[in-house]
Amino acid sequence: MTYLRYAFALVVMAMVSLYPTPTSAKCPLFKCSRPCPRGYVTFNGCRLCLCKRATCPYLKCFRACPLGYVIDKNGCRTCTCKSAPICPVHLCIQRLCRYGFMKDKNGCPTCQCNIRQPICLPRLCVRPCPLGYVADKNGCQTCICKRGPICPVHLCIQRLCRYGFMKDKNGCQTCICKRAPICPVHLCKQRVCRYGFMKDKNGCQTCQCNIRPPICLPRLCIRPCPLGYVTDKNGCQTCICKRAPICPVHLCKQRLCRYGFMKDKNGCQTCICKRMLT
């Protein structure tokens, strides 16, 4: 549809350009099927069926919104938080559903019952999968490992980012630096936590206390691992060897460093020289 709309606009532009001036020319008469809130694009004084695009200002919002931000009439984001939807009250004929009621796109319950969820049998897989296991058509776990995306190698001008690089929709690293997270101010009832406060995915402090760290028992592994051992979800050592990281290729301007190059958290070489021998 977008291709047809632009093709039609090109035809109209060709018709308009045949006339010498916009004052003496008569614009072709046509009716646009799509309404445009910001008006239509004009060419030689004649209207085309192309909507004007909005130029949105850059806003830095200091308030985090769990449901997202409100979009104004121009399609631009504001710093106003979206309010929770007001769900209508349904008088359903079927008062109870064994698996609960279905919800609509706004998260409000409907009068339709959820279908029966499949009963998944526990699977004991011998092979560990860092990215998790593939699920079958019923949503049950298999013993097939998920494959990671094939990411291109980027030669970024900015070698290091304080908060790391952003990732695309496939989980691959880009050359765009992450912005510093805007952390909300919490007035916690519990002022002190013995093991500190928990942090969210953005690294911001919450009002939940950290649980007591687990007590790890010493493990005696027969197989030596040059890169060290993998730790479990509790931070305790296992006997699984760490895999060597896939390091990007850097074309550094400074070819030699007296004390060698620094390495990042993954053990990959960067283009920053070491200040002294460590």
Side-chain angles (χ1 to χ4, degrees), residues 38-62:
R38 292 176 293 275
Y40 297 94
V41 177
T42 57
F43 178 75
N44 281 353
C46 295
R47 189 186 71 176
L48 305 178
C49 280
L50 292 175
C51 293
K52 288 183 180 178
R53 293 184 179 179
T55 306
C56 299
Y58 173 73
L59 294 177
K60 188 175 182 180
C61 304
F62 295 96

mmCIF file with all atom_site columns, all heavy atoms in Angstrom, residues 38-62:
data_model
loop_
_atom_site.group_PDB
_atom_site.id
_atom_site.type_symbol
_atom_site.label_atom_id
_atom_site.label_alt_id
_atom_site.label_comp_id
_atom_site.label_asym_id
_atom_site.label_entity_id
_atom_site.label_seq_id
_atom_site.pdbx_PDB_ins_code
_atom_site.Cartn_x
_atom_site.Cartn_y
_atom_site.Cartn_z
_atom_site.occupancy
_atom_site.B_iso_or_equiv
_atom_site.pdbx_formal_charge
_atom_site.auth_seq_id
_atom_site.auth_comp_id
_atom_site.auth_asym_id
_atom_site.auth_atom_id
_atom_site.pdbx_PDB_model_num
ATOM 1   N N   . ARG A 1 38 ? -1.905 16.253 10.421  1.00 0.00 ? 38 ARG A N   1
ATOM 2   C CA  . ARG A 1 38 ? -0.989 17.385 10.276  1.00 0.00 ? 38 ARG A CA  1
ATOM 3   C C   . ARG A 1 38 ? -1.021 18.003 8.881   1.00 0.00 ? 38 ARG A C   1
ATOM 4   O O   . ARG A 1 38 ? -0.178 18.828 8.549   1.00 0.00 ? 38 ARG A O   1
ATOM 5   C CB  . ARG A 1 38 ? 0.431  16.934 10.616  1.00 0.00 ? 38 ARG A CB  1
ATOM 6   C CG  . ARG A 1 38 ? 0.633  16.592 12.078  1.00 0.00 ? 38 ARG A CG  1
ATOM 7   C CD  . ARG A 1 38 ? 2.014  16.062 12.351  1.00 0.00 ? 38 ARG A CD  1
ATOM 8   N NE  . ARG A 1 38 ? 2.239  14.768 11.717  1.00 0.00 ? 38 ARG A NE  1
ATOM 9   C CZ  . ARG A 1 38 ? 1.886  13.611 12.262  1.00 0.00 ? 38 ARG A CZ  1
ATOM 10  N NH1 . ARG A 1 38 ? 1.292  13.591 13.448  1.00 0.00 ? 38 ARG A NH1 1
ATOM 11  N NH2 . ARG A 1 38 ? 2.119  12.481 11.638  1.00 0.00 ? 38 ARG A NH2 1
ATOM 12  N N   . GLY A 1 39 ? -1.957 17.573 8.056   1.00 0.00 ? 39 GLY A N   1
ATOM 13  C CA  . GLY A 1 39 ? -2.075 18.124 6.712   1.00 0.00 ? 39 GLY A CA  1
ATOM 14  C C   . GLY A 1 39 ? -1.322 17.300 5.679   1.00 0.00 ? 39 GLY A C   1
ATOM 15  O O   . GLY A 1 39 ? -0.656 16.306 6.000   1.00 0.00 ? 39 GLY A O   1
ATOM 16  N N   . TYR A 1 40 ? -1.446 17.711 4.401   1.00 0.00 ? 40 TYR A N   1
ATOM 17  C CA  . TYR A 1 40 ? -0.853 16.977 3.283   1.00 0.00 ? 40 TYR A CA  1
ATOM 18  C C   . TYR A 1 40 ? 0.364  17.720 2.733   1.00 0.00 ? 40 TYR A C   1
ATOM 19  O O   . TYR A 1 40 ? 0.497  18.933 2.870   1.00 0.00 ? 40 TYR A O   1
ATOM 20  C CB  . TYR A 1 40 ? -1.875 16.794 2.164   1.00 0.00 ? 40 TYR A CB  1
ATOM 21  C CG  . TYR A 1 40 ? -3.070 15.955 2.563   1.00 0.00 ? 40 TYR A CG  1
ATOM 22  C CD1 . TYR A 1 40 ? -4.229 16.547 3.041   1.00 0.00 ? 40 TYR A CD1 1
ATOM 23  C CD2 . TYR A 1 40 ? -3.038 14.577 2.463   1.00 0.00 ? 40 TYR A CD2 1
ATOM 24  C CE1 . TYR A 1 40 ? -5.330 15.791 3.417   1.00 0.00 ? 40 TYR A CE1 1
ATOM 25  C CE2 . TYR A 1 40 ? -4.132 13.812 2.832   1.00 0.00 ? 40 TYR A CE2 1
ATOM 26  C CZ  . TYR A 1 40 ? -5.269 14.415 3.311   1.00 0.00 ? 40 TYR A CZ  1
ATOM 27  O OH  . TYR A 1 40 ? -6.351 13.649 3.673   1.00 0.00 ? 40 TYR A OH  1
ATOM 28  N N   . VAL A 1 41 ? 1.228  16.984 2.075   1.00 0.00 ? 41 VAL A N   1
ATOM 29  C CA  . VAL A 1 41 ? 2.391  17.554 1.401   1.00 0.00 ? 41 VAL A CA  1
ATOM 30  C C   . VAL A 1 41 ? 1.928  18.240 0.119   1.00 0.00 ? 41 VAL A C   1
ATOM 31  O O   . VAL A 1 41 ? 1.065  17.722 -0.599  1.00 0.00 ? 41 VAL A O   1
ATOM 32  C CB  . VAL A 1 41 ? 3.425  16.458 1.088   1.00 0.00 ? 41 VAL A CB  1
ATOM 33  C CG1 . VAL A 1 41 ? 4.608  17.017 0.310   1.00 0.00 ? 41 VAL A CG1 1
ATOM 34  C CG2 . VAL A 1 41 ? 3.899  15.782 2.367   1.00 0.00 ? 41 VAL A CG2 1
ATOM 35  N N   . THR A 1 42 ? 2.498  19.418 -0.183  1.00 0.00 ? 42 THR A N   1
ATOM 36  C CA  . THR A 1 42 ? 2.158  20.141 -1.409  1.00 0.00 ? 42 THR A CA  1
ATOM 37  C C   . THR A 1 42 ? 3.359  20.178 -2.336  1.00 0.00 ? 42 THR A C   1
ATOM 38  O O   . THR A 1 42 ? 4.514  20.174 -1.898  1.00 0.00 ? 42 THR A O   1
ATOM 39  C CB  . THR A 1 42 ? 1.719  21.578 -1.091  1.00 0.00 ? 42 THR A CB  1
ATOM 40  O OG1 . THR A 1 42 ? 2.761  22.241 -0.378  1.00 0.00 ? 42 THR A OG1 1
ATOM 41  C CG2 . THR A 1 42 ? 0.430  21.588 -0.267  1.00 0.00 ? 42 THR A CG2 1
ATOM 42  N N   . PHE A 1 43 ? 3.060  20.243 -3.662  1.00 0.00 ? 43 PHE A N   1
ATOM 43  C CA  . PHE A 1 43 ? 4.100  20.315 -4.684  1.00 0.00 ? 43 PHE A CA  1
ATOM 44  C C   . PHE A 1 43 ? 3.619  21.275 -5.762  1.00 0.00 ? 43 PHE A C   1
ATOM 45  O O   . PHE A 1 43 ? 2.569  21.059 -6.373  1.00 0.00 ? 43 PHE A O   1
ATOM 46  C CB  . PHE A 1 43 ? 4.378  18.930 -5.283  1.00 0.00 ? 43 PHE A CB  1
ATOM 47  C CG  . PHE A 1 43 ? 5.416  18.940 -6.371  1.00 0.00 ? 43 PHE A CG  1
ATOM 48  C CD1 . PHE A 1 43 ? 6.762  19.086 -6.046  1.00 0.00 ? 43 PHE A CD1 1
ATOM 49  C CD2 . PHE A 1 43 ? 5.058  18.822 -7.712  1.00 0.00 ? 43 PHE A CD2 1
ATOM 50  C CE1 . PHE A 1 43 ? 7.720  19.091 -7.047  1.00 0.00 ? 43 PHE A CE1 1
ATOM 51  C CE2 . PHE A 1 43 ? 6.009  18.831 -8.700  1.00 0.00 ? 43 PHE A CE2 1
ATOM 52  C CZ  . PHE A 1 43 ? 7.349  18.960 -8.380  1.00 0.00 ? 43 PHE A CZ  1
ATOM 53  N N   . ASN A 1 44 ? 4.380  22.374 -5.970  1.00 0.00 ? 44 ASN A N   1
ATOM 54  C CA  . ASN A 1 44 ? 3.987  23.424 -6.921  1.00 0.00 ? 44 ASN A CA  1
ATOM 55  C C   . ASN A 1 44 ? 2.614  24.004 -6.586  1.00 0.00 ? 44 ASN A C   1
ATOM 56  O O   . ASN A 1 44 ? 1.830  24.355 -7.479  1.00 0.00 ? 44 ASN A O   1
ATOM 57  C CB  . ASN A 1 44 ? 3.992  22.895 -8.363  1.00 0.00 ? 44 ASN A CB  1
ATOM 58  C CG  . ASN A 1 44 ? 5.394  22.829 -8.937  1.00 0.00 ? 44 ASN A CG  1
ATOM 59  O OD1 . ASN A 1 44 ? 6.347  23.296 -8.313  1.00 0.00 ? 44 ASN A OD1 1
ATOM 60  N ND2 . ASN A 1 44 ? 5.527  22.233 -10.105 1.00 0.00 ? 44 ASN A ND2 1
ATOM 61  N N   . GLY A 1 45 ? 2.311  24.056 -5.297  1.00 0.00 ? 45 GLY A N   1
ATOM 62  C CA  . GLY A 1 45 ? 1.051  24.632 -4.873  1.00 0.00 ? 45 GLY A CA  1
ATOM 63  C C   . GLY A 1 45 ? -0.117 23.681 -4.893  1.00 0.00 ? 45 GLY A C   1
ATOM 64  O O   . GLY A 1 45 ? -1.241 24.052 -4.523  1.00 0.00 ? 45 GLY A O   1
ATOM 65  N N   . CYS A 1 46 ? 0.105  22.445 -5.333  1.00 0.00 ? 46 CYS A N   1
ATOM 66  C CA  . CYS A 1 46 ? -0.969 21.453 -5.405  1.00 0.00 ? 46 CYS A CA  1
ATOM 67  C C   . CYS A 1 46 ? -0.782 20.411 -4.313  1.00 0.00 ? 46 CYS A C   1
ATOM 68  O O   . CYS A 1 46 ? 0.339  20.042 -3.970  1.00 0.00 ? 46 CYS A O   1
ATOM 69  C CB  . CYS A 1 46 ? -0.986 20.770 -6.769  1.00 0.00 ? 46 CYS A CB  1
ATOM 70  S SG  . CYS A 1 46 ? -1.388 21.888 -8.117  1.00 0.00 ? 46 CYS A SG  1
ATOM 71  N N   . ARG A 1 47 ? -1.890 19.942 -3.793  1.00 0.00 ? 47 ARG A N   1
ATOM 72  C CA  . ARG A 1 47 ? -1.866 18.988 -2.699  1.00 0.00 ? 47 ARG A CA  1
ATOM 73  C C   . ARG A 1 47 ? -1.638 17.577 -3.211  1.00 0.00 ? 47 ARG A C   1
ATOM 74  O O   . ARG A 1 47 ? -2.204 17.175 -4.232  1.00 0.00 ? 47 ARG A O   1
ATOM 75  C CB  . ARG A 1 47 ? -3.198 19.051 -1.944  1.00 0.00 ? 47 ARG A CB  1
ATOM 76  C CG  . ARG A 1 47 ? -3.208 18.253 -0.646  1.00 0.00 ? 47 ARG A CG  1
ATOM 77  C CD  . ARG A 1 47 ? -4.571 18.233 -0.031  1.00 0.00 ? 47 ARG A CD  1
ATOM 78  N NE  . ARG A 1 47 ? -5.487 17.407 -0.802  1.00 0.00 ? 47 ARG A NE  1
ATOM 79  C CZ  . ARG A 1 47 ? -6.747 17.135 -0.468  1.00 0.00 ? 47 ARG A CZ  1
ATOM 80  N NH1 . ARG A 1 47 ? -7.226 17.684 0.638   1.00 0.00 ? 47 ARG A NH1 1
ATOM 81  N NH2 . ARG A 1 47 ? -7.505 16.383 -1.208  1.00 0.00 ? 47 ARG A NH2 1
ATOM 82  N N   . LEU A 1 48 ? -0.786 16.828 -2.497  1.00 0.00 ? 48 LEU A N   1
ATOM 83  C CA  . LEU A 1 48 ? -0.555 15.412 -2.783  1.00 0.00 ? 48 LEU A CA  1
ATOM 84  C C   . LEU A 1 48 ? -1.187 14.569 -1.677  1.00 0.00 ? 48 LEU A C   1
ATOM 85  O O   . LEU A 1 48 ? -1.498 15.072 -0.603  1.00 0.00 ? 48 LEU A O   1
ATOM 86  C CB  . LEU A 1 48 ? 0.949  15.108 -2.856  1.00 0.00 ? 48 LEU A CB  1
ATOM 87  C CG  . LEU A 1 48 ? 1.768  15.951 -3.834  1.00 0.00 ? 48 LEU A CG  1
ATOM 88  C CD1 . LEU A 1 48 ? 3.225  15.551 -3.751  1.00 0.00 ? 48 LEU A CD1 1
ATOM 89  C CD2 . LEU A 1 48 ? 1.258  15.772 -5.253  1.00 0.00 ? 48 LEU A CD2 1
ATOM 90  N N   . CYS A 1 49 ? -1.359 13.301 -1.935  1.00 0.00 ? 49 CYS A N   1
ATOM 91  C CA  . CYS A 1 49 ? -1.933 12.388 -0.933  1.00 0.00 ? 49 CYS A CA  1
ATOM 92  C C   . CYS A 1 49 ? -0.830 11.790 -0.057  1.00 0.00 ? 49 CYS A C   1
ATOM 93  O O   . CYS A 1 49 ? -0.789 10.575 0.179   1.00 0.00 ? 49 CYS A O   1
ATOM 94  C CB  . CYS A 1 49 ? -2.747 11.291 -1.614  1.00 0.00 ? 49 CYS A CB  1
ATOM 95  S SG  . CYS A 1 49 ? -4.390 11.848 -2.104  1.00 0.00 ? 49 CYS A SG  1
ATOM 96  N N   . LEU A 1 50 ? 0.079  12.631 0.404   1.00 0.00 ? 50 LEU A N   1
ATOM 97  C CA  . LEU A 1 50 ? 1.132  12.216 1.323   1.00 0.00 ? 50 LEU A CA  1
ATOM 98  C C   . LEU A 1 50 ? 1.007  13.023 2.612   1.00 0.00 ? 50 LEU A C   1
ATOM 99  O O   . LEU A 1 50 ? 0.899  14.249 2.560   1.00 0.00 ? 50 LEU A O   1
ATOM 100 C CB  . LEU A 1 50 ? 2.518  12.439 0.701   1.00 0.00 ? 50 LEU A CB  1
ATOM 101 C CG  . LEU A 1 50 ? 2.893  11.562 -0.488  1.00 0.00 ? 50 LEU A CG  1
ATOM 102 C CD1 . LEU A 1 50 ? 4.239  11.985 -1.048  1.00 0.00 ? 50 LEU A CD1 1
ATOM 103 C CD2 . LEU A 1 50 ? 2.960  10.099 -0.077  1.00 0.00 ? 50 LEU A CD2 1
ATOM 104 N N   . CYS A 1 51 ? 1.010  12.346 3.727   1.00 0.00 ? 51 CYS A N   1
ATOM 105 C CA  . CYS A 1 51 ? 0.869  13.021 5.017   1.00 0.00 ? 51 CYS A CA  1
ATOM 106 C C   . CYS A 1 51 ? 2.189  13.671 5.432   1.00 0.00 ? 51 CYS A C   1
ATOM 107 O O   . CYS A 1 51 ? 3.267  13.128 5.190   1.00 0.00 ? 51 CYS A O   1
ATOM 108 C CB  . CYS A 1 51 ? 0.444  12.033 6.102   1.00 0.00 ? 51 CYS A CB  1
ATOM 109 S SG  . CYS A 1 51 ? -1.220 11.366 5.866   1.00 0.00 ? 51 CYS A SG  1
ATOM 110 N N   . LYS A 1 52 ? 2.094  14.847 6.054   1.00 0.00 ? 52 LYS A N   1
ATOM 111 C CA  . LYS A 1 52 ? 3.259  15.516 6.613   1.00 0.00 ? 52 LYS A CA  1
ATOM 112 C C   . LYS A 1 52 ? 3.728  14.763 7.854   1.00 0.00 ? 52 LYS A C   1
ATOM 113 O O   . LYS A 1 52 ? 2.914  14.355 8.681   1.00 0.00 ? 52 LYS A O   1
ATOM 114 C CB  . LYS A 1 52 ? 2.918  16.958 6.991   1.00 0.00 ? 52 LYS A CB  1
ATOM 115 C CG  . LYS A 1 52 ? 2.729  17.884 5.803   1.00 0.00 ? 52 LYS A CG  1
ATOM 116 C CD  . LYS A 1 52 ? 2.461  19.300 6.287   1.00 0.00 ? 52 LYS A CD  1
ATOM 117 C CE  . LYS A 1 52 ? 2.266  20.257 5.117   1.00 0.00 ? 52 LYS A CE  1
ATOM 118 N NZ  . LYS A 1 52 ? 1.961  21.634 5.579   1.00 0.00 ? 52 LYS A NZ  1
ATOM 119 N N   . ARG A 1 53 ? 5.029  14.580 7.941   1.00 0.00 ? 53 ARG A N   1
ATOM 120 C CA  . ARG A 1 53 ? 5.592  13.875 9.088   1.00 0.00 ? 53 ARG A CA  1
ATOM 121 C C   . ARG A 1 53 ? 5.854  14.847 10.238  1.00 0.00 ? 53 ARG A C   1
ATOM 122 O O   . ARG A 1 53 ? 6.188  16.001 10.020  1.00 0.00 ? 53 ARG A O   1
ATOM 123 C CB  . ARG A 1 53 ? 6.904  13.184 8.708   1.00 0.00 ? 53 ARG A CB  1
ATOM 124 C CG  . ARG A 1 53 ? 6.715  12.050 7.712   1.00 0.00 ? 53 ARG A CG  1
ATOM 125 C CD  . ARG A 1 53 ? 8.039  11.361 7.460   1.00 0.00 ? 53 ARG A CD  1
ATOM 126 N NE  . ARG A 1 53 ? 7.895  10.254 6.536   1.00 0.00 ? 53 ARG A NE  1
ATOM 127 C CZ  . ARG A 1 53 ? 8.906  9.488  6.133   1.00 0.00 ? 53 ARG A CZ  1
ATOM 128 N NH1 . ARG A 1 53 ? 10.131 9.734  6.577   1.00 0.00 ? 53 ARG A NH1 1
ATOM 129 N NH2 . ARG A 1 53 ? 8.706  8.489  5.293   1.00 0.00 ? 53 ARG A NH2 1
ATOM 130 N N   . ALA A 1 54 ? 5.706  14.319 11.445  1.00 0.00 ? 54 ALA A N   1
ATOM 131 C CA  . ALA A 1 54 ? 5.930  15.154 12.635  1.00 0.00 ? 54 ALA A CA  1
ATOM 132 C C   . ALA A 1 54 ? 7.402  15.119 13.021  1.00 0.00 ? 54 ALA A C   1
ATOM 133 O O   . ALA A 1 54 ? 8.053  14.078 12.941  1.00 0.00 ? 54 ALA A O   1
ATOM 134 C CB  . ALA A 1 54 ? 5.083  14.651 13.789  1.00 0.00 ? 54 ALA A CB  1
ATOM 135 N N   . THR A 1 55 ? 7.925  16.261 13.414  1.00 0.00 ? 55 THR A N   1
ATOM 136 C CA  . THR A 1 55 ? 9.286  16.360 13.935  1.00 0.00 ? 55 THR A CA  1
ATOM 137 C C   . THR A 1 55 ? 9.188  16.418 15.460  1.00 0.00 ? 55 THR A C   1
ATOM 138 O O   . THR A 1 55 ? 8.829  17.443 16.034  1.00 0.00 ? 55 THR A O   1
ATOM 139 C CB  . THR A 1 55 ? 9.997  17.603 13.385  1.00 0.00 ? 55 THR A CB  1
ATOM 140 O OG1 . THR A 1 55 ? 9.931  17.569 11.960  1.00 0.00 ? 55 THR A OG1 1
ATOM 141 C CG2 . THR A 1 55 ? 11.444 17.651 13.821  1.00 0.00 ? 55 THR A CG2 1
ATOM 142 N N   . CYS A 1 56 ? 9.476  15.294 16.100  1.00 0.00 ? 56 CYS A N   1
ATOM 143 C CA  . CYS A 1 56 ? 9.292  15.193 17.549  1.00 0.00 ? 56 CYS A CA  1
ATOM 144 C C   . CYS A 1 56 ? 10.514 15.738 18.283  1.00 0.00 ? 56 CYS A C   1
ATOM 145 O O   . CYS A 1 56 ? 11.649 15.404 17.923  1.00 0.00 ? 56 CYS A O   1
ATOM 146 C CB  . CYS A 1 56 ? 9.042  13.742 17.960  1.00 0.00 ? 56 CYS A CB  1
ATOM 147 S SG  . CYS A 1 56 ? 7.541  13.041 17.217  1.00 0.00 ? 56 CYS A SG  1
ATOM 148 N N   . PRO A 1 57 ? 10.325 16.556 19.298  1.00 0.00 ? 57 PRO A N   1
ATOM 149 C CA  . PRO A 1 57 ? 11.468 17.042 20.087  1.00 0.00 ? 57 PRO A CA  1
ATOM 150 C C   . PRO A 1 57 ? 12.012 15.936 20.988  1.00 0.00 ? 57 PRO A C   1
ATOM 151 O O   . PRO A 1 57 ? 11.292 14.992 21.349  1.00 0.00 ? 57 PRO A O   1
ATOM 152 C CB  . PRO A 1 57 ? 10.861 18.180 20.920  1.00 0.00 ? 57 PRO A CB  1
ATOM 153 C CG  . PRO A 1 57 ? 9.422  17.810 21.050  1.00 0.00 ? 57 PRO A CG  1
ATOM 154 C CD  . PRO A 1 57 ? 9.048  17.094 19.778  1.00 0.00 ? 57 PRO A CD  1
ATOM 155 N N   . TYR A 1 58 ? 13.297 16.047 21.315  1.00 0.00 ? 58 TYR A N   1
ATOM 156 C CA  . TYR A 1 58 ? 13.916 15.066 22.209  1.00 0.00 ? 58 TYR A CA  1
ATOM 157 C C   . TYR A 1 58 ? 13.546 15.402 23.650  1.00 0.00 ? 58 TYR A C   1
ATOM 158 O O   . TYR A 1 58 ? 13.768 16.516 24.115  1.00 0.00 ? 58 TYR A O   1
ATOM 159 C CB  . TYR A 1 58 ? 15.435 15.070 22.041  1.00 0.00 ? 58 TYR A CB  1
ATOM 160 C CG  . TYR A 1 58 ? 16.146 14.205 23.050  1.00 0.00 ? 58 TYR A CG  1
ATOM 161 C CD1 . TYR A 1 58 ? 16.097 12.811 22.956  1.00 0.00 ? 58 TYR A CD1 1
ATOM 162 C CD2 . TYR A 1 58 ? 16.845 14.768 24.111  1.00 0.00 ? 58 TYR A CD2 1
ATOM 163 C CE1 . TYR A 1 58 ? 16.727 12.017 23.880  1.00 0.00 ? 58 TYR A CE1 1
ATOM 164 C CE2 . TYR A 1 58 ? 17.483 13.979 25.043  1.00 0.00 ? 58 TYR A CE2 1
ATOM 165 C CZ  . TYR A 1 58 ? 17.422 12.602 24.921  1.00 0.00 ? 58 TYR A CZ  1
ATOM 166 O OH  . TYR A 1 58 ? 18.052 11.814 25.850  1.00 0.00 ? 58 TYR A OH  1
ATOM 167 N N   . LEU A 1 59 ? 12.937 14.443 24.334  1.00 0.00 ? 59 LEU A N   1
ATOM 168 C CA  . LEU A 1 59 ? 12.523 14.632 25.723  1.00 0.00 ? 59 LEU A CA  1
ATOM 169 C C   . LEU A 1 59 ? 13.313 13.697 26.618  1.00 0.00 ? 59 LEU A C   1
ATOM 170 O O   . LEU A 1 59 ? 13.471 12.516 26.311  1.00 0.00 ? 59 LEU A O   1
ATOM 171 C CB  . LEU A 1 59 ? 11.026 14.352 25.878  1.00 0.00 ? 59 LEU A CB  1
ATOM 172 C CG  . LEU A 1 59 ? 10.056 15.312 25.180  1.00 0.00 ? 59 LEU A CG  1
ATOM 173 C CD1 . LEU A 1 59 ? 8.631  14.837 25.383  1.00 0.00 ? 59 LEU A CD1 1
ATOM 174 C CD2 . LEU A 1 59 ? 10.204 16.715 25.723  1.00 0.00 ? 59 LEU A CD2 1
ATOM 175 N N   . LYS A 1 60 ? 13.780 14.225 27.732  1.00 0.00 ? 60 LYS A N   1
ATOM 176 C CA  . LYS A 1 60 ? 14.462 13.412 28.738  1.00 0.00 ? 60 LYS A CA  1
ATOM 177 C C   . LYS A 1 60 ? 13.568 13.367 29.970  1.00 0.00 ? 60 LYS A C   1
ATOM 178 O O   . LYS A 1 60 ? 13.483 14.334 30.726  1.00 0.00 ? 60 LYS A O   1
ATOM 179 C CB  . LYS A 1 60 ? 15.824 14.016 29.068  1.00 0.00 ? 60 LYS A CB  1
ATOM 180 C CG  . LYS A 1 60 ? 16.685 13.126 29.954  1.00 0.00 ? 60 LYS A CG  1
ATOM 181 C CD  . LYS A 1 60 ? 18.060 13.722 30.146  1.00 0.00 ? 60 LYS A CD  1
ATOM 182 C CE  . LYS A 1 60 ? 18.927 12.793 30.991  1.00 0.00 ? 60 LYS A CE  1
ATOM 183 N NZ  . LYS A 1 60 ? 20.282 13.372 31.198  1.00 0.00 ? 60 LYS A NZ  1
ATOM 184 N N   . CYS A 1 61 ? 12.855 12.258 30.114  1.00 0.00 ? 61 CYS A N   1
ATOM 185 C CA  . CYS A 1 61 ? 11.891 12.126 31.205  1.00 0.00 ? 61 CYS A CA  1
ATOM 186 C C   . CYS A 1 61 ? 12.591 11.568 32.446  1.00 0.00 ? 61 CYS A C   1
ATOM 187 O O   . CYS A 1 61 ? 13.335 10.596 32.361  1.00 0.00 ? 61 CYS A O   1
ATOM 188 C CB  . CYS A 1 61 ? 10.736 11.208 30.791  1.00 0.00 ? 61 CYS A CB  1
ATOM 189 S SG  . CYS A 1 61 ? 9.884  11.749 29.280  1.00 0.00 ? 61 CYS A SG  1
ATOM 190 N N   . PHE A 1 62 ? 12.331 12.176 33.584  1.00 0.00 ? 62 PHE A N   1
ATOM 191 C CA  . PHE A 1 62 ? 12.943 11.745 34.843  1.00 0.00 ? 62 PHE A CA  1
ATOM 192 C C   . PHE A 1 62 ? 12.052 10.773 35.605  1.00 0.00 ? 62 PHE A C   1
ATOM 193 O O   . PHE A 1 62 ? 12.443 10.264 36.640  1.00 0.00 ? 62 PHE A O   1
ATOM 194 C CB  . PHE A 1 62 ? 13.252 12.965 35.720  1.00 0.00 ? 62 PHE A CB  1
ATOM 195 C CG  . PHE A 1 62 ? 14.289 13.869 35.129  1.00 0.00 ? 62 PHE A CG  1
ATOM 196 C CD1 . PHE A 1 62 ? 13.916 14.984 34.394  1.00 0.00 ? 62 PHE A CD1 1
ATOM 197 C CD2 . PHE A 1 62 ? 15.633 13.595 35.280  1.00 0.00 ? 62 PHE A CD2 1
ATOM 198 C CE1 . PHE A 1 62 ? 14.883 15.811 33.842  1.00 0.00 ? 62 PHE A CE1 1
ATOM 199 C CE2 . PHE A 1 62 ? 16.598 14.415 34.730  1.00 0.00 ? 62 PHE A CE2 1
ATOM 200 C CZ  . PHE A 1 62 ? 16.220 15.527 34.001  1.00 0.00 ? 62 PHE A CZ  1
#
